[in-house]
Amino acid sequence: MTRNHLGVLVAAFAILTTGLAACGGGGGGNASSADSAQIQAAIKNSATSGDPTACTKYETAKFNAQTNGGSGGSPTQQCERDAANTVAKGVDVSNVSVSGESATADVAFTGSILDGQSVEVGLVKQGGQWKLDSLNKFTHFDHDKFVSGF
């Protein structure tokens, strides 16, 4: 994603799961077109905008705590400080699956260290807005490509 904090989390996750070649895919794509469009927009804006307001507009405090491990202030403040750091050039969202006020989606990255990697993210609907809530697992992990990206 565009912010360094998510890239660091994904890097740490990848290091912890070095033996992981690939995990199963996401849901069955049962989202309404309105939910699917808003979920895709939330993920894209979170990943590619570089805007510090995305840390609260498109991400929950839980997501920020998970993806900002630690130094200097709250996870949301760390997210806002890192917002302009580019990690991915783009994302492709697929396998959007909605169950009430929660959803999952697969996100494939283009560019930089995450080029060629895909993860499943969890989302929740808060105040009518879909927000990233968790980084669940890799759905595609190319160890060699990841290592060469470092």
Side-chain angles (χ1 to χ4, degrees), residues 1-3 6-7 10 43 46-48 63 87-93 106-121 132 135 137-140 145:
M1 296 188 139
T2 60
R3 290 188 309 282
L6 188 53
V10 172
I43 293 169
S46 173
T48 64
F63 184 82
V87 175
K89 293 178 184 176
V91 294
D92 181 38
V93 180
D106 292 344
V107 183
F109 297 89
T110 303
S112 197
I113 191 170
L114 300 177
D115 189 39
Q117 312 303 325
S118 299
V119 297
E120 179 188 88
V121 295
L132 284 82
L135 181 62
K137 63 184 177 182
F138 277 96
T139 57
H140 176 77
K145 197 167 192 177

Side-chain angles (χ1 to χ4, degrees), residues 67-131:
T67 59
N68 290 284
S71 59
S74 77
T76 299
Q77 290 170 330
Q78 186 67 41
C79 173
E80 291 167 345
R81 279 193 299 275
D82 292 341
N85 297 332
T86 299
V87 175
K89 293 178 184 176
V91 294
D92 181 38
V93 180
S94 63
N95 294 327
V96 176
S97 181
V98 176
S99 179
E101 301 278 309
S102 63
T104 59
D106 292 344
V107 183
F109 297 89
T110 303
S112 197
I113 191 170
L114 300 177
D115 189 39
Q117 312 303 325
S118 299
V119 297
E120 179 188 88
V121 295
L123 299 98
V124 294
K125 198 169 194 177
Q126 293 182 343
Q129 171 66 51
W130 284 102
K131 295 183 176 190

Side-chain angles (χ1 to χ4, degrees), residues 2-3 7 14 19-20 29 31 33 35 52 57 59 69-70 72-73 89 98 115-116 122 127 133 135 137 143 149-150:
T2 60
R3 290 188 309 282
L20 181 66
S33 60
D35 281 330
K57 185 173 183 179
E59 300 171 8
K89 293 178 184 176
V98 176
D115 189 39
D133 192 50
L135 181 62
K137 63 184 177 182
H143 181 267
F150 256 120

